[in-house]
Amino acid sequence: MAKTKTAFVCQNCGTNTPKWMGKCPGCGEWNTLIEEVVYKPSKSGSRRNFSETVSRKPVPITEVKADVTERLQLPDGELHRVLGGGLVPGSVTLIGGDPGIGKSTLLLQLGLNYAAAKVLYVSGEESANQIKMRAERIGNLHDGLLLLIDTSLERVMERIEESNPDLVIIDSIQTLQSPEIDSVPGSVAQIRECTGELIQYAKETDTPVVLIGHITKEGNIAGPKVMEHMVDVVLQFEGDRQHLYRLLRAKKNRFGSTNELGIYEMQGSGLKEVTEPSQALLSHRDEGLSGSAIAASMEGARPMMIEAQALVSTAAYGTPQRTTTGFDQRRLHMLLAVLEKRCGFGIGRFDVFVNMAGGIRVDDPAIDLAAVCAVLSSSEDYPIPGQTCFAGEVGLSGEIRPVTRIDQRIREAEKLGFEEIYISGYGLKGLNLKDFSIRVKPVKRMDEVFQQLFG
Ligand code: TYD
Ligand code: MG
């Protein structure tokens, strides 16, 4: 009998070592090496060849025929945009997210709304019955959506070839299992093998494949980092389960930019696209309360007005707390230090809480100014007028720094009926303030803003 071959495989980066080690020599992580049984695939090569026509010779780049492939136009506008304008034929997309966030719903809904195409939805997680019940909540059932409940990679590949779909969805990659590899489903070796096989299928038949991936408690897509390297696009589905909103971000995209953001609202009948995020986010606002300021922010190429809320209160315990939701905590520490040192506000003794309303995490330095103004408004207990908004980064010496695409931000504020916007007084070249009907207030220093707001 052939001897079973085992190796220690890092669950983080996929490095193989013959001996156990505490620290992975590849990525330096501790306690990630796990013993796995590895069989060498038979000599003839176990992978199916889907077509023999792929050229294997080096070719001058000028002679490479680039077929301008038509992207698949998706019925889901947000997903379409985050992907950079639809699915590229032959691409493999990985969607990760916490359990229960709505990954299965998002992709089932894509299949249901995609009446023009034949979609194969492979699930190893739920029964056909469960999926049917979910589909009925969403609606739009049609014959082009095929369901397959299976976890064996071999059988799944056979069915895929048989039914020749326009789009394959795998829920989830961690449940697939190849008989060639003798380790449990979800292990690095299994994931690598299954992903590899699906990628090969996608490339050779020009069929887009979408994989759902689980997330570990550290927030990484479970399985080796190598999976993220292997696929073309990595999307992250996130959000607070207590909040309605779900965000779809691109972490990697070989066919487009990664700074687009898709916003959905979880409803009783599936996920609804939020096409006017500013209006959705501002609709529940109570004007006239202190501690609230509106930021004219950008997510990718799309302007988005978002409310920063702050609460400053006497510290109940010895050490003042700084807690944030949707805002970088270290950034808050820095902004408070600037207020303390450069502007003379004694906030050090107080608890400070900062939330971005709706639980939406934004990575835009332009929200600094709104966050600081919300903190000041709460600490002074003086409301900021509801028709005022802010777009500026706060620098270490208390200066207000310019931000990107300022004219687009001003236009959005104007469109939504704001009357006044504070922006940086630096770098105003090329911006004619008279073009706007909204009052634009250029400011250069934090104390200037304070004077004008609370004077
Ligand atoms: P699901 O897609 O199963 O999450 P994942 O695949 O990421 O684990 O989403 C499950 C959650 O979504 C569940 O808690 C219920 C909620 N949900 C709705 O609120 N409305 C709906 O129409 C559907 C289908 C799900
Ligand atoms: Mg699921």
Side-chain angles (χ1 to χ4, degrees):
M1 204 178 83
K3 214 170 151 218
T4 337
K5 204 173 162 210
T6 69
F8 291 86
V9 183
C10 170
Q11 303 294 305
N12 184 47
C13 68
T15 303
N16 253 305
T17 67
K19 272 202 312 210
W20 187 84
M21 277 179 253
K23 184 180 178 184
C24 167
C27 62
E29 283 291 315
W30 289 90
N31 291 331
T32 53
L33 292 176
I34 286 181
E35 185 171 22
E36 287 184 0
V37 183
V38 280
Y39 278 128
K40 284 260 173 281
S42 53
K43 262 196 220 113
S44 57
S46 63
R47 291 207 171 152
R48 273 166 288 267
N49 244 340
F50 296 99
S51 83
E52 300 295 326
T53 55
V54 185
S55 109
R56 300 289 184 213
K57 272 190 252 145
V59 199
I61 191 159
T62 45
E63 286 168 27
V64 174
K65 280 201 201 72
D67 357 328
V68 185
T69 39
E70 288 262 321
R71 293 186 178 216
L72 266 75
Q73 303 293 313
L74 301 182
D76 181 329
E78 298 291 289
L79 183 60
H80 187 88
R81 204 163 37 79
V82 173
L83 285 169
L87 271 175
V88 173
S91 67
V92 178
T93 305
L94 174 67
I95 297 195
D98 287 332
I101 205 75
K103 303 180 292 296
S104 305
T105 308
L106 180 74
L107 293 181
L108 183 63
Q109 192 171 324
L110 174 67
L112 287 168
N113 293 338
Y114 209 160
K118 184 154 145 199
V119 180
L120 181 64
Y121 188 98
V122 182
S123 178
E125 305 226 319
E126 288 162 293
S127 67
N129 203 13
Q130 278 174 303
I131 298 177
K132 171 84 189 219
M133 284 191 322
R134 184 194 304 241
E136 274 171 352
R137 289 174 70 173
I138 301 171
N140 284 352
L141 279 68
H142 64 95
D143 290 343
L145 178 60
L146 304 174
L147 269 191
L148 172 65
I149 311 294
D150 208 333
T151 54
S152 147
L153 179 71
E154 247 180 10
R155 284 197 301 263
V156 168
M157 293 315 294
E158 268 169 34
R159 296 286 170 262
I160 295 179
E161 278 171 71
E162 254 170 46
S163 49
N164 189 25
D166 302 315
L167 169 65
V168 179
I169 296 170
I170 307 281
D171 186 4
S172 67
I173 187 71
Q174 275 89 1
T175 54
L176 277 191
Q177 185 175 21
S178 162
E180 306 249 336
I181 309 275
D182 197 17
S183 54
V184 291
S187 64
V188 177
Q190 284 288 2
I191 291 181
R192 198 163 34 189
E193 174 71 14
C194 298
T195 313
E197 188 103 351
L198 285 161
I199 291 178
Q200 193 183 357
Y201 165 78
K203 300 290 172 235
E204 295 184 357
T205 59
D206 260 353
T207 313
V209 175
V210 182
L211 311 172
I212 292 183
H214 291 172
I215 255 181
T216 62
K217 52 176 197 307
E218 292 84 32
N220 296 318
I221 291 175
K225 262 272 183 266
V226 287
M227 181 156 73
E228 291 188 30
H229 291 298
M230 287 164 86
V231 300
D232 300 306
V233 181
V234 180
L235 304 181
Q236 182 96 17
F237 204 38
E238 56 182 47
D240 229 329
R241 247 182 303 165
Q242 279 74 31
H243 286 101
L244 288 176
Y245 297 110
R246 300 283 185 275
L247 308 183
L248 187 66
R249 284 177 206 280
K251 271 176 89 179
K252 160 181 175 180
N253 190 352
R254 287 188 179 149
F255 317 108
S257 91
T258 52
N259 52 19
E260 285 298 340
L261 177 77
I263 306 181
Y264 296 90
E265 196 181 321
M266 184 56 101
Q267 294 188 337
S269 55
L271 291 156
K272 186 172 156 280
E273 296 168 31
V274 177
T275 41
E276 293 279 352
S278 305
Q279 275 160 12
L281 291 173
L282 295 182
S283 59
H284 315 292
R285 204 155 55 94
D286 201 349
E287 284 173 27
L289 292 182
S290 65
S292 151
I294 309 295
S297 140
M298 293 293 290
E299 268 297 342
R302 188 160 67 157
M304 184 164 90
M305 307 298 283
I306 180 164
E307 182 187 357
Q309 298 172 328
L311 179 67
V312 179
S313 79
T314 320
Y317 304 101
T319 321
Q321 298 183 50
R322 277 90 177 77
T323 310
T324 59
T325 312
F327 192 80
D328 185 5
Q329 194 161 4
R330 277 169 307 178
R331 188 93 197 148
L332 177 64
H333 283 292
M334 186 237 98
L335 293 175
L336 294 179
V338 169
L339 282 183
E340 183 101 34
K341 171 103 186 170
R342 305 282 181 197
C343 315
F345 293 102
I347 291 186
R349 293 170 291 118
F350 296 95
D351 284 343
V352 179
F353 305 92
V354 171
N355 280 0
M356 299 315 287
I360 289 188
R361 180 171 63 83
V362 265
D363 300 319
D364 178 7
I367 62 176
D368 279 3
L369 187 54
V372 170
C373 289
V375 168
L376 290 177
S377 159
S378 172
S379 111
E380 300 290 307
D381 198 15
Y382 194 88
I384 293 171
Q387 299 317 318
T388 301
C389 61
F390 304 87
E393 181 183 345
V394 176
L396 283 180
S397 47
E399 83 277 20
I400 314 294
R401 305 165 63 93
V403 292
T404 53
R405 303 183 191 237
I406 190 67
D407 48 336
Q408 230 175 313
R409 297 172 196 261
I410 300 176
R411 291 267 176 243
E412 174 81 357
E414 200 174 59
K415 193 178 100 195
L416 290 170
F418 283 86
E419 288 164 10
E420 183 172 71
I421 181 168
Y422 285 84
I423 64 165
S424 166
Y426 299 99
L428 286 176
K429 240 191 286 160
L431 196 68
N432 191 357
L433 303 186
K434 296 204 181 62
D435 285 353
F436 306 103
S437 60
I438 182 175
R439 224 173 316 126
V440 182
K441 294 197 155 179
V443 277
K444 292 196 167 167
R445 298 191 47 80
M446 219 30 248
D447 17 343
E448 225 178 292
V449 185
F450 184 77
Q451 274 302 321
Q452 297 202 25
L453 276 178
F454 310 111

